[in-house]
Amino acid sequence: MIQRRNIRHSLPAIVGIVLVAMMIGSFFAVGPAAAMQAGTVVRVQPGTQQIGIGQTATVEIRIENASGLYAADIELRFNPAALQVQDADPGRDGVQIQPGNFPSPDFVALNSADNATGVIRYALTQLPPKAPVNGSGLLATVVFRGQAAGTVDLTFSLVNLANAQGQQLPASSQGGNIIVGGGGPPPPTPTLPPMTPTPPPPVTLTPPPPMTVTPPPTPTRYVVQRGDTLYSIARRFGVSIWQLASLNNIPNLNLIYVGQVLIIPTPGPMPPGPGPAPSRYVVQYGDTLFSIARRFGVNVWQLAAYNNIPNPNYIRAGQVLLIPPR
């Protein structure tokens, strides 16, 4: 699948330590027969709620009967004409949901709620040295506000779970519904105009130019103030949130404290650390990041982090990727 990249982050310090390859987007489809046999279920709880217009409903997204779970990626759809997601982190751009603790959200690759299209996307992974989790627990929490009367279905359009080796874990899903204003027929769901794909221009493989490593710029320091978030600090200084987190050894982007002294790097990408020079590959029409990672025998998350790709589902033909040394 060829998609355009709409965001850009830097994550150089996580290269080589992220050991999980979550199967994102169109990479895999969960088979119902295998899912039911495994017994792992991703469900909405409670299954049914009733609220009035202007009132809120809290929905838990839970994973039950998991074994060896290390990463998760889900997409939940709703009718935005009748429900709107309440932002769990007003200090950041966009609308987010509240992460849970099963598995531990050490690295949150995606957290967005689109109140225009009615799509929630949440993808995360644990990081070493944490062990995989077993059993049941809370993946995330969503707070909806009623906008118009009707019965709104909450439907999973994507459920992908993975172990620490990046292998997919079979799982089924169970959605739910929220009745707003006493029920009745749901309001019309807004539709997006169809998009016609344009064939990309032909691309060719080119040999990589010699790479040189330059010393990093001298950083400055900043003392965290009340009301600061790592995202607001990174935006203030014009640096990547991932670069700021890695330079200060912060594993959880949502946990900083007042008085903490942060090292602020000079704006710009961080150079790669010492080691063998990576090879390069030009994305071909029909490539996915997973197929490229499998072709070169590397981890898809390592490949994404090495190339500053926050969403492995979005690459484009002609894009030049660095292949990390094995």
Side-chain angles (χ1 to χ4, degrees):
M1 177 183 297
I2 305 302
Q3 304 275 355
R4 64 180 182 87
R5 292 177 57 191
N6 54 4
I7 54 176
R8 184 174 185 266
H9 292 297
S10 173
L11 190 57
I14 299 184
V15 174
I17 67 170
V18 178
L19 302 179
V20 59
M22 289 177 14
M23 314 313 177
I24 297 232
S26 61
F27 298 162
F28 291 93
V30 176
M36 294 307 294
Q37 181 179 0
T40 303
V41 181
V42 180
R43 71 169 75 247
V44 167
Q45 185 173 313
T48 300
Q49 294 189 68
Q50 183 168 350
I51 59 174
I53 296 176
Q55 295 180 336
T56 60
T58 299
V59 172
E60 292 184 349
I61 302 175
R62 299 187 60 84
I63 301 177
E64 299 181 357
N65 302 323
S67 178
L69 177 64
Y70 210 77
D73 176 24
I74 62 100
E75 184 174 275
L76 184 68
R77 293 181 177 268
F78 62 95
N79 186 348
L83 291 176
Q84 294 279 280
V85 175
Q86 302 298 289
D87 192 2
D89 189 357
R92 298 181 58 190
D93 289 343
V95 179
Q96 292 84 38
I97 64 176
Q98 180 63 44
N101 57 5
F102 189 86
S104 176
D106 299 335
F107 171 49
V108 178
L110 294 172
N111 185 352
S112 66
D114 192 332
N115 282 325
T117 60
V119 177
I120 297 171
R121 188 69 183 274
Y122 183 58
L124 79 161
T125 177
Q126 295 188 154
L127 292 178
K130 287 188 177 175
V133 295
N134 303 303
S136 304
L138 178 64
L139 176 65
T141 302
V142 187
V143 178
F144 291 99
R145 180 178 295 276
Q147 297 291 111
T151 300
V152 183
D153 291 329
L154 306 178
T155 306
F156 287 101
S157 54
L158 174 71
V159 171
N160 284 326
L161 307 180
N163 61 19
Q165 289 73 45
Q167 299 168 333
Q168 189 186 20
L169 302 176
S172 61
S173 64
Q174 294 182 10
N177 61 68
I178 297 178
I179 303 171
V180 182
T189 303
T191 57
L192 298 176
M195 298 184 65
T196 303
T198 302
V203 294
T204 56
L205 286 171
T206 55
M211 299 185 64
T212 57
V213 176
T214 56
T218 302
T220 57
R221 296 177 182 270
Y222 174 77
V223 179
V224 176
Q225 307 294 315
R226 184 175 300 276
D228 279 344
T229 65
L230 203 63
Y231 178 82
S232 66
I233 296 171
R235 184 170 54 182
R236 179 183 308 168
F237 287 95
V239 298
S240 163
I241 187 173
W242 307 114
Q243 186 177 355
L244 184 60
S246 63
L247 189 61
N248 290 274
N249 298 319
I250 299 175
N252 189 336
L253 306 183
N254 295 319
L255 294 179
I256 59 174
Y257 57 88
V258 175
Q260 182 176 357
V261 178
L262 300 180
I263 299 175
I264 308 297
T266 301
M270 292 181 65
S279 58
R280 294 192 174 198
Y281 175 76
V282 179
V283 176
Q284 307 295 308
Y285 184 69
D287 279 344
T288 66
L289 202 64
F290 179 79
S291 66
I292 297 171
R294 183 169 54 184
R295 179 183 308 168
F296 288 96
V298 297
N299 183 284
V300 69
W301 275 113
Q302 182 183 5
L303 182 61
Y306 208 77
N307 290 273
N308 304 328
I309 299 174
N311 187 346
N313 203 30
Y314 293 99
I315 58 174
R316 54 182 170 77
Q319 181 178 351
V320 179
L321 299 181
L322 296 178
I323 308 300
R326 298 180 60 182

